[in-house]
């Protein structure tokens, strides 16, 4: 990963993601009710919120998987409809498994994340090396020939992240990558993310709680009922809530006088 | 080789070879996408095409191909747009296709029930020269798509949402899978019959994934099994007077059972080997000092 994606000078100040007044519905239920979300180059932004707050819908709208009923979306300074450069985006969808209906190896699944960088889907030497590098980043290079059916939950998640990293993206969008992941894998994923940030990648990550990623997060956007209720430094309450050893039962007396109501604790 | 003497057997064996490759090739992707029974659905729709062929006095293979492609595209559109009531819509298409075929056949002069049965269950030894040309052209298309685009098709069948975000033309590729499956049905209908087409798309894949760990191996082995059962089934039906389609499908099931029986000890040995390599070590934790640094 020797290229410096953040170094392109022509639009260095342009937001990588600019979502303005976004509204979206699932069925007839409004899920996003005017969401503004801006992610600048090199930023690491966490999207937080309770279940049903619309955080997953928001990122799926950003990657074009949920149609917006209103508002605007720009990626790398281009309106979403005219954006074609998907090789610059690495996406980790919300999944619990990397497996499909037939057996596949870790290497085969991760290689599918490299397709956007290949011509006619032919994997060259550089592509194979990128696949290995992506697997090294998540500590799974020794499992490249293993079937994904033989992996644990945390390992599935690591494979899904390696698949997104295989394309060496400038923008990494992850939907709950820590869901159902053991602590050891969470640490590995935090390290992998740290390496991406170090090489200049921009990250938008949906999280239920900050956990081991907390030190990496520049900014947190908290959604509740499809509206942004907080946009700024990671909320303290959420950070402490996610400390290891915290057992999630006792009520908080947060250090902030006016506690930010994230909806996470209810 | 006395079996290669009659021209009809040469045609039959070539057709069997092509079906043995193409049906598991597209079948692998259908199974991967958990649409194993799509071939069956297209097979039902194909009947209307066969009936139409009888009625118009045209080649049933080409007409069936056209009708299948339309049917498969409609199925794909139902799948991608109307998820909620997709199964009902598909059922309409299946039974409509079946009923349409029977109705059109009975209206035509050429079509008799016996004629229709040869399409339902396959009648490899009655494959004409003209059919053979169609089968070869269509099979070439299927092989080109499934092997040439295997990485793209793997990506969309493994995780469609991810594939869309990587910028693959997913809608186009999905339609291509549907069209290829439809074409495969018409390639295979003279050999195994419309009601058994799906078996040759699914069973070799199911058999091969009993022992394969990678997609590449599942894909290749499924085609190998397909060729093996299609050619040996056709040969059997030449020497013993039994229908080719049924023989092929029963052989395929036999291979599936054999590989399943083989897979269990294979998996055990594999597990033993990793166990021996890694082993289990019990680590006794050292005495811990009480550190309660979590302030809440």
């Amino acid at each position: 990963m020797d290229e410096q994606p953040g170094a392109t000078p022509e639009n260095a100040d342009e937001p990588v993601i600019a979502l303005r007044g976004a509204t979206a519905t699932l069925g007839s239920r409004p899920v996003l009710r005017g969401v503004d979300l801006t992610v600048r180059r090199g930023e690491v932004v966490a999207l937080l919120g309770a279940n049903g707050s619309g955080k997953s819908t928001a990122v799926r709208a950003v990657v074009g998987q949920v149609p917006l009923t209103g508002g605007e979306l720009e990626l790398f300074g281009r309106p979403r409809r005219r954006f074609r450069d998907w090789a610059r985006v690495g996406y980790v969808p919300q999944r619990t498994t990397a497996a499909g209906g037939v057996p596949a190896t870790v290497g085969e699944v991760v290689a599918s994340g490299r397709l956007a960088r290949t011509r006619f889907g032919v994997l060259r030497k550089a592509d194979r090396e990128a696949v290995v590098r992506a697997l090294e980043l998540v500590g799974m290079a020794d499992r490249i020939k293993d079937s994904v059916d033989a992996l644990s939950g945390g390992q599935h998640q690591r494979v899904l992240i390696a698949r997104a990293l295989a394309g060496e993206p400038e923008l990494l969008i992850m939907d709950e990558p820590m869901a159902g992941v053991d602590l050891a894998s969470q640490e590995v994923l935090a390290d992998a993310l740290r390496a991406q940030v170090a090489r200049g990648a921009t990250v938008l990550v949906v999280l239920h709680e900050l956990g081991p990623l907390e030190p990496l997060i520049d900014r947190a956007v908290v959604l509740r009922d499809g509206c942004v209720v907080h946009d700024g430094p990671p909320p303290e309450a959420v950070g402490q809530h996610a400390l290891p050893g915290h057992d999630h039962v006792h009520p908080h007396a947060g250090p902030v006088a006016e506690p930010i109501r994230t909806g996470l604790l209810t | 080789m006395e079996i290669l003497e009659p021209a009809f057997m040469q045609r039959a064996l070539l057709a069997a070879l092509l079906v043995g490759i193409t049906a598991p090739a597209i079948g692998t992707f259908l199974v991967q996408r958990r649409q194993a029974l799509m071939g069956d659905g297209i097979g039902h729709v194909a009947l209307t095409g066969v009936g139409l062929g009888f009625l118009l006095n045209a080649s049933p293979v080409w007409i069936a191909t056209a009708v299948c492609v339309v049917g498969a595209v409609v199925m794909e559109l139902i799948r991608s747009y109307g998820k909620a009531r997709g199964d009902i819509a598909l059922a309409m298409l299946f039974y409509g296709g079946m009923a349409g075929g029977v109705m059109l056949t009975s209206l035509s002069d050429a079509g008799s029930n016996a004629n229709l049965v040869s399409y339902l269950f396959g009648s490899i030894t009655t494959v004409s020269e003209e059919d053979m040309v169609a089968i070869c052209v269509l099979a070439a298309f299927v092989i080109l798509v499934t092997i040439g685009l295997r990485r793209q098709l793997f990506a969309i069948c493994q995780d469609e949402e991810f594939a869309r975000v990587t910028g693959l033309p997913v809608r186009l590729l999905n339609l291509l899978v549907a069209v290829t499956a439809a074409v495969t049905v018409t390639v295979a209908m003279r050999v195994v019959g419309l009601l058994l087409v799906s078996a040759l798309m699914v069973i070799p894949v199911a058999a091969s994934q009993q022992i394969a760990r990678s997609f590449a191996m599942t894909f290749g082995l499924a085609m190998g099994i397909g060729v093996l059962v299609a050619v040996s089934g056709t040969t059997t039906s030449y020497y013993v007077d039994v229908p080719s389609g049924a023989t092929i499908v029963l052989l395929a099931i036999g291979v599936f059972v054999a590989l399943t029986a083989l897979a269990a000890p294979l998996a055990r040995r594999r597990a033993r080997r990793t166990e021996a390599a890694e082993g289990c070590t019990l680590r006794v934790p050292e005495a811990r000092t009480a550190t309660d640094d979590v302030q809440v």
Side-chain angles (χ1 to χ4, degrees):
Chain A
M1 314 232 167
D2 37 24
E3 54 177 294
Q4 282 293 317
T8 37
E10 77 273 14
N11 45 12
D13 295 331
E14 204 124 49
V16 174
I17 300 172
L19 193 62
R20 281 185 291 268
T23 58
T25 55
L26 287 183
S28 57
R29 192 170 65 91
V31 186
L32 300 182
R33 302 186 297 163
V35 170
D36 293 315
L37 175 66
T38 308
V39 180
R40 275 170 221 92
R41 204 171 281 276
E43 258 190 321
V44 180
V45 176
L47 198 55
L48 304 168
N51 290 333
S53 60
K55 57 190 194 302
S56 210
T57 307
V59 288
R60 295 189 70 230
V62 168
V63 293
Q65 299 310 305
V66 171
L68 290 180
T69 50
E72 289 171 44
L73 169 62
E74 284 183 5
L75 292 172
F76 294 97
R78 277 180 162 258
R80 154 78 184 92
R81 293 207 167 280
R82 288 200 285 124
F83 182 76
R84 292 281 175 277
D85 217 358
W86 288 108
R88 299 168 81 176
V89 181
Y91 177 50
V92 182
Q94 194 176 3
R95 295 271 183 281
T96 51
T97 169
V102 295
T105 63
V106 168
E108 285 172 328
V109 171
V110 174
S112 66
R114 188 70 192 174
L115 274 182
R117 295 265 182 202
T118 65
R119 194 173 289 202
F120 309 118
V122 181
L123 289 184
R124 290 167 199 284
K125 191 161 164 274
D127 299 315
R128 291 179 202 286
E129 285 167 0
V131 168
V132 173
R133 269 202 306 276
L135 278 168
E136 277 167 356
L137 274 169
V138 298
M140 294 277 292
D142 56 326
R143 307 294 301 267
I144 189 165
K145 286 195 161 37
D146 286 4
S147 172
V148 286
D149 294 326
L151 303 181
S152 71
Q155 289 169 330
H156 273 278
Q157 211 55 256
R158 293 200 226 171
V159 169
L160 292 175
I161 290 171
R163 182 176 68 173
L165 296 181
E168 295 172 334
E170 294 170 49
L171 168 63
L172 192 58
I173 296 177
M174 303 194 280
D175 193 352
E176 299 240 20
M178 298 300 193
V181 174
D182 54 282
L183 208 62
S185 286
Q186 289 197 16
E187 295 292 348
V188 172
L189 295 182
D191 286 343
L193 203 59
R194 193 169 289 121
Q196 293 308 299
V197 176
R199 72 174 185 97
T202 309
V203 180
L204 173 64
V205 56
V206 172
L207 291 174
H208 199 72
E209 50 182 34
L210 290 173
L213 293 187
E214 189 182 4
L216 289 168
I217 308 291
D218 296 320
R219 190 154 60 86
V221 174
V222 181
L223 291 185
R224 193 174 60 203
D225 295 333
C227 297
V228 175
V229 293
H230 169 88
D231 188 343
E236 288 287 329
V238 176
Q240 217 166 58
H241 184 70
L243 274 182
H246 186 106
D247 56 12
H248 297 246
V249 285
H250 38 195
H252 276 283
V256 189
E258 278 277 316
I260 300 153
R261 295 198 55 85
T262 61
L264 286 173
L265 311 177
T266 49
Chain B
M1 288 287 275
E2 125 195 56
I3 188 174
L4 290 174
E5 292 273 302
F8 77 87
M9 268 321 283
Q10 291 172 9
R11 287 198 293 269
L13 284 172
L14 179 59
L17 177 73
L18 293 175
V19 171
I21 297 171
T22 53
I26 188 68
T28 306
F29 297 107
L30 296 179
V31 172
Q32 190 188 7
R33 203 158 67 174
R34 302 179 203 279
Q35 274 191 303
L37 293 180
M38 182 169 179
D40 205 35
I42 300 172
H44 284 62
V45 174
L47 267 182
T48 293
V50 172
L52 206 60
F54 286 148
L55 194 65
L56 301 174
N57 246 331
S59 156
V61 174
W62 286 114
I63 303 273
T65 306
V67 172
C68 278
V69 166
V70 172
V73 168
V74 170
M75 271 188 243
E76 171 53 29
L77 294 179
I78 290 171
R79 188 187 76 88
S80 61
Y81 289 109
K83 275 174 184 141
R85 305 185 53 191
D87 56 335
I88 304 286
L90 290 181
M92 297 287 179
L93 208 61
F94 292 2
Y95 306 125
M98 187 101 177
V102 173
M103 181 62 79
L104 290 171
T105 307
S106 76
L107 288 177
S108 72
D109 308 325
S112 65
N113 277 340
N115 221 333
L116 192 62
V117 165
S118 87
Y119 283 91
L120 280 178
F121 297 106
S123 166
I124 199 166
T125 46
T126 60
V127 176
S128 69
E129 198 106 12
E130 187 196 352
D131 287 341
M132 214 41 236
V133 173
I135 288 175
C136 286
V137 171
L138 295 172
F141 168 77
V142 174
I143 292 170
L144 219 63
V145 168
T146 51
I147 295 179
L149 294 175
R150 65 188 183 285
R151 289 188 197 285
Q152 286 88 340
L153 299 184
F154 171 83
I156 64 161
C157 294
Q158 189 79 9
D159 189 339
E160 192 171 320
E161 182 169 320
F162 176 79
R164 261 183 269 143
V165 178
T166 58
L168 283 177
V170 170
R171 196 170 296 172
L172 194 72
L173 289 169
N174 275 334
L175 284 174
L176 196 61
V177 169
V179 168
T180 309
V183 168
T184 309
V185 166
T186 47
V187 169
M189 81 177 169
R190 301 308 315 261
V191 179
V192 286
L194 290 172
L195 291 184
L196 295 176
V197 161
S198 197
L200 210 49
M201 290 186 176
V202 176
I203 299 170
V205 182
S208 106
Q209 56 172 287
Q210 295 298 315
I211 56 168
R213 278 191 294 173
S214 69
F215 179 81
M217 188 178 172
T218 309
F219 190 55
L221 191 60
M223 286 190 271
I225 294 170
V227 169
L228 179 79
V229 298
V231 172
S232 57
T234 307
T235 311
T236 308
S237 75
Y238 174 74
Y239 288 113
V240 192
D241 188 22
V242 286
S244 54
T247 316
I248 291 169
V249 172
L250 289 176
L251 276 174
I253 291 177
V255 172
F256 172 79
V257 171
L259 287 184
T260 308
L262 206 74
L266 206 70
R268 263 203 300 277
R269 212 177 53 195
R270 210 173 272 159
R272 255 206 309 276
R273 212 178 306 148
T274 36
E275 221 170 84
E278 288 172 7
C280 274
T281 45
L282 179 67
R283 255 173 293 179
V284 183
E286 290 167 34
R288 262 196 309 180
T289 47
T291 50
D292 191 4
D293 52 4
V294 181
Q295 306 278 312
V296 192

